[in-house]
Amino acid sequence: MRIGVIHPTPSGRVDPAVVAGRAEELGFDSYWVGEHTVLPVRSSVAYIAGDGQDPDYIAEMADPYIVLARAGAATSTIGLGTAVTLMPERSPLLAAKQVASLDDLCGGRVLLGVGVGWNPEQSRIMGGDFPNRWEQTREHVKAMRALWADGDCEFHGRYVDFPNVRCRPKPARRPGPPVIIGAGTHPRVLERVAEWADGWMPWGRGTDEFGSGVQRIKELAEIRGRST
């Protein structure tokens, strides 16, 4: 069994290099950090956990790729994961460059957790199409994988459109870091994992829901001819 540790608010007060280094010494498999670039002062949707109030730590999150670069420089074996990157809120070209650079510099240790967020105002501020956020995320991931592939590439989609470009360095792990969907147990989430992701990060679910979800993903992946 491989167990990771999540660090909600890495900062100068709680150095990610120290936390990740200690986690590696203790034998943890991976070190994970989240993402919220901005948090709207007023939101139309309540926070998904707790009492509905937005916890202070959400607005205090440092940029995950800066955090993981510091953690990676202080470690040598532990996986470096995002839990999660909010894909509709990032340029896929910039994200592809950041992920590939981190993976190249850290020897293929990146684990790309992706999600869509719950806050429509935050998503719109950051350029996301909130009603179609999963469709946008899938296309962003597809474009990033194209940029990670060998050689040059072009991409033409609904949200991402660019001519033939050269994007290097490539990730150390080929064909790229595993893409892990962070979401609940809704049937459509499990279908997305089976269709185009490499793993599932269930949020706040019990062991029974987790077990049944994993089994369903395996069934759906087999139908699609994908290995699990």
Side-chain angles (χ1 to χ4, degrees):
M1 179 180 293
R2 295 179 294 178
I3 300 175
V5 59
I6 189 167
H7 188 180
T9 53
S11 67
R13 299 185 302 275
V14 187
D15 191 343
V18 174
V19 176
R22 184 57 177 153
E24 184 173 85
E25 291 173 3
L26 293 171
F28 284 95
D29 176 74
S30 49
Y31 170 81
W32 302 79
V33 294
E35 170 177 52
H36 284 282
T37 303
V38 298
L39 183 65
V41 174
R42 295 179 180 83
S43 301
S44 59
V45 178
Y47 183 57
I48 57 176
D51 59 4
Q53 299 298 312
D54 295 335
D56 290 340
Y57 79 84
I58 293 179
E60 296 174 0
M61 290 181 175
D63 182 89
Y65 295 105
I66 301 296
V67 171
L68 293 177
R70 180 160 178 79
T75 58
S76 59
T77 61
I78 197 167
L80 306 168
T82 56
V84 292
T85 293
L86 297 173
M87 282 310 309
E89 301 181 17
R90 279 189 176 259
S91 158
L93 288 93
L94 180 57
K97 170 71 79 170
Q98 292 169 321
V99 172
S101 298
L102 180 64
D103 199 64
D104 177 60
L105 291 168
C106 296
R109 292 189 279 147
V110 173
L111 304 165
L112 181 59
V114 301
V116 297
W118 85 94
N119 189 303
E121 287 77 20
Q122 177 180 317
S123 182
R124 284 194 290 269
I125 289 168
M126 297 300 298
D129 178 6
F130 190 77
N132 302 295
R133 56 198 183 278
W134 277 113
E135 179 184 346
Q136 188 177 17
T137 292
R138 179 174 185 170
E139 186 172 301
H140 281 199
V141 168
K142 187 176 181 180
M144 291 170 67
R145 284 171 166 160
L147 290 161
W148 293 336
D150 294 335
D152 307 334
C153 79
E154 60 183 280
F155 190 93
H156 306 285
R158 175 180 177 183
Y159 298 100
V160 189
D161 193 327
F162 55 83
N164 202 33
V165 298
R166 188 169 299 145
C167 186
R168 295 174 177 77
K170 302 297 184 181
R173 190 184 322 209
R174 310 302 293 144
V179 176
I180 304 164
I181 288 179
T185 57
H186 190 280
R188 191 67 190 98
V189 169
L190 305 182
E191 291 172 6
R192 293 184 183 105
V193 176
E195 287 169 3
W196 55 266
D198 302 306
W200 178 44
M201 188 189 311
W203 286 105
R205 305 298 172 179
T207 55
D208 289 344
E209 286 184 272
F210 172 71
S212 61
V214 169
Q215 182 58 40
R216 181 57 179 159
I217 290 169
K218 290 182 176 180
E219 294 170 355
L220 292 168
E222 184 175 353
I223 291 170
R224 290 162 174 78
R226 298 189 68 201
S227 61
T228 58

